[in-house]
Amino acid sequence: MKTVLITGVSSGYGRETALHFHSQGWNVIATMRTPRAGVLPESDRLRVVELDVTEPETITAALETAGTVDVLVNNAGIPLISVFEGTPMARVREVFETNTFGVMATTQAVLPQFRERGSGVVVNVTSSVVLGHMPLSAVYKASKAAVEGFTASLALELAPFGVRAKTVEPGACLTTNFAARATSGGALDELIPAPYAPWAEKVMGDFTGQDLFTKESDVAETVWRAVHDTTGRLRFPAGPDAVRLAEAK
């Protein structure tokens, strides 16, 4: 019976991915920055563990609790929709600490056991923003594009040891807490300087009015496919809008 460790499982893609792997008979280590009851069903094959990807000691402790891990899914992330001019550098660093450096830290912590065992898969959940030119996403896209580049090189470094690295690129999903935080009026307004406001309002209207969207289940199923892929494929768009962007690219 294999074990997957997934970060950011309190809601959205992480929660759905945990449920999907559990339904397939896997052991699931479901990590959250602040664990709470009721997010996932009780099961002897599912453990909720504290892990904050920006706190190295919690990464170490979570891996000690997990024991042998076959797959790491780096899903934890924070959203940001903003105009770059109006985004404080402290906010930029916060996004990179979680979305980029957190992925690197968690990956680095699990690699010794993968390398020594000669097997293992790292799946880094990025975003379809890396597939096209999207406004209001300069900082967020940069944090995810960095992970794409990191994973591409990492995959080459790990291949001699039988370890694989992949990225999953979810499209736009409006039903997650992640999306709600990213598009909430107050959070958005404070990062949109007045001269940009009319343009930004139109951009957001076009975004929410698009004809294709991603579901949480699309991402969970794509992570599952990425984990089991042995063709050497690196990138996996998730959701019909992400697939369309990837095909256009």
Side-chain angles (χ1 to χ4, degrees), residues 34-204:
T34 306
R36 62 181 190 274
V39 174
L40 294 164
E42 292 187 9
S43 169
D44 59 0
R45 290 189 291 104
L46 198 159
R47 282 185 288 172
V48 175
V49 176
E50 179 183 1
L51 192 159
D52 182 336
V53 299
T54 69
E55 299 290 342
E57 63 275 12
T58 71
I59 297 173
T60 300
L63 286 172
E64 289 175 352
T65 298
T68 300
V69 172
D70 298 284
V71 172
L72 169 66
V73 178
N74 282 308
N75 168 75
I78 56 177
L80 184 66
I81 292 179
S82 67
V83 168
F84 180 68
E85 182 183 336
T87 308
M89 285 306 299
R91 187 73 176 272
V92 174
R93 293 186 177 94
E94 178 187 4
V95 169
F96 270 79
E97 281 294 338
T98 296
N99 293 1
T100 308
F101 302 136
V103 167
M104 292 179 174
T106 309
T107 300
Q108 192 173 65
V110 82
L111 287 184
Q113 65 165 289
F114 283 4
R115 174 180 48 76
E116 291 167 7
R117 196 169 62 241
S119 66
V121 185
V122 177
V123 176
N124 294 327
V125 179
T126 60
S127 169
S128 63
V129 297
V130 304
L131 298 172
H133 304 300
M134 300 184 184
L136 298 176
S137 66
V139 173
Y140 182 72
K141 178 173 180 174
S143 73
K144 294 297 189 177
V147 174
E148 290 275 336
F150 164 69
T151 310
S153 185
L154 180 69
L156 299 177
E157 296 177 13
L158 299 180
F161 303 101
V163 179
R164 290 170 282 139
K166 314 281 186 179
T167 64
V168 167
E169 303 158 335
C173 180
L174 299 184
T175 57
T176 63
N177 292 338
F178 187 97
R181 294 199 307 274
T183 58
S184 61
L188 185 61
D189 290 346
E190 70 184 25
L191 301 178
I192 305 294
Y196 291 91
W199 170 81
E201 185 176 352
K202 181 181 184 304
V203 168
M204 288 304 299

Side-chain angles (χ1 to χ4, degrees), residues 226-245:
V227 166
H228 291 87
D229 178 77
T230 57
T231 68
R233 181 178 176 183
L234 177 65
R235 298 179 175 90
F236 293 77
D241 53 327
V243 170
R244 182 168 62 183
L245 280 169

Side-chain angles (χ1 to χ4, degrees), residues 10-23:
S10 59
S11 65
Y13 303 150
R15 180 178 181 275
E16 192 69 23
T17 301
L19 292 171
H20 187 79
F21 274 79
H22 182 262
S23 72

